[in-house]
Amino acid sequence: MAIDQDVEELLIMGDSDLIICQAQGEWETRDVKLIPYRQHVEDLIRRFKSVKFRYIPRFRNELADALATLVSMLPYPGNAHIHPLEIQIWERHGYCNMVEAELNVQPWYHDIKRFLKTKEYPNQVSGDQKRTIR
């Protein structure tokens, strides 16, 4: 896909230190079944100006795990074009950006505190709610 789109520089990230080091040529590939794959990678590398490999430990690779889970849930028609996914990195978690402050809202324990002070229940409270407040 990268070759078809005339990509010149490629950054390949993976969470297998063994595969990254073998692809970079730092470690020898001894498994007979993997040697043809290693040779194919070498052929592909020659088609780019620059290819870099980066190891990402699995515990720091939550985004890749989430994307892999999502992609495994979707059917992929073989002849369909899939548009690239755009990902934005925010300074805070997504749910923090969606929370809106409610004005003049009492804390969750307000009714309990009021009952302890005045021995009165709020208006329109059912029997179950009274038991919970008590």
Side-chain angles (χ1 to χ4, degrees):
M1 185 171 150
I3 294 170
D4 295 339
Q5 295 185 2
D6 297 325
V7 172
E8 295 179 355
E9 296 180 0
L10 194 61
L11 173 62
I12 300 170
M13 297 185 281
D15 59 7
S16 170
D17 197 28
L18 173 67
I19 298 297
I20 295 294
C21 289
Q22 287 177 341
Q24 289 176 321
E26 294 176 9
W27 295 352
E28 182 182 345
T29 306
R30 294 183 184 171
D31 189 338
V32 177
K33 295 177 283 187
L34 296 179
I35 292 174
Y37 291 108
R38 169 68 185 132
Q39 291 170 345
H40 186 65
V41 168
E42 287 175 0
D43 294 340
L44 288 173
I45 288 174
R46 289 189 207 108
R47 298 176 80 173
F48 297 94
K49 274 187 181 177
S50 167
V51 176
K52 295 179 183 175
F53 294 89
R54 184 179 301 160
Y55 168 68
I56 300 175
R58 288 187 185 196
F59 70 89
R60 296 182 65 210
N61 204 7
E62 296 164 342
L63 179 61
D65 288 340
L67 291 174
T69 301
L70 286 173
V71 90
S72 70
M73 298 165 59
L74 299 173
Y76 175 69
N79 60 353
H81 174 73
I82 297 177
H83 295 285
L85 180 64
E86 181 179 328
I87 299 172
Q88 295 178 349
I89 299 175
W90 294 67
E91 294 295 322
R92 299 186 300 172
H93 292 290
Y95 65 84
C96 294
N97 295 325
M98 299 302 296
V99 174
E100 295 179 9
E102 295 180 19
L103 301 176
N104 300 325
V105 175
Q106 301 293 337
W108 63 270
Y109 56 84
H110 173 73
D111 293 333
I112 299 170
K113 187 174 178 180
R114 180 176 159 204
F115 176 77
L116 290 172
K117 284 183 179 178
T118 65
K119 301 291 184 209
E120 295 177 2
Y121 296 104
N123 297 335
Q124 301 174 346
V125 174
S126 70
D128 288 337
Q129 291 171 331
K130 287 181 182 180
R131 193 173 21 246
T132 301
I133 292 172
R134 268 196 316 273

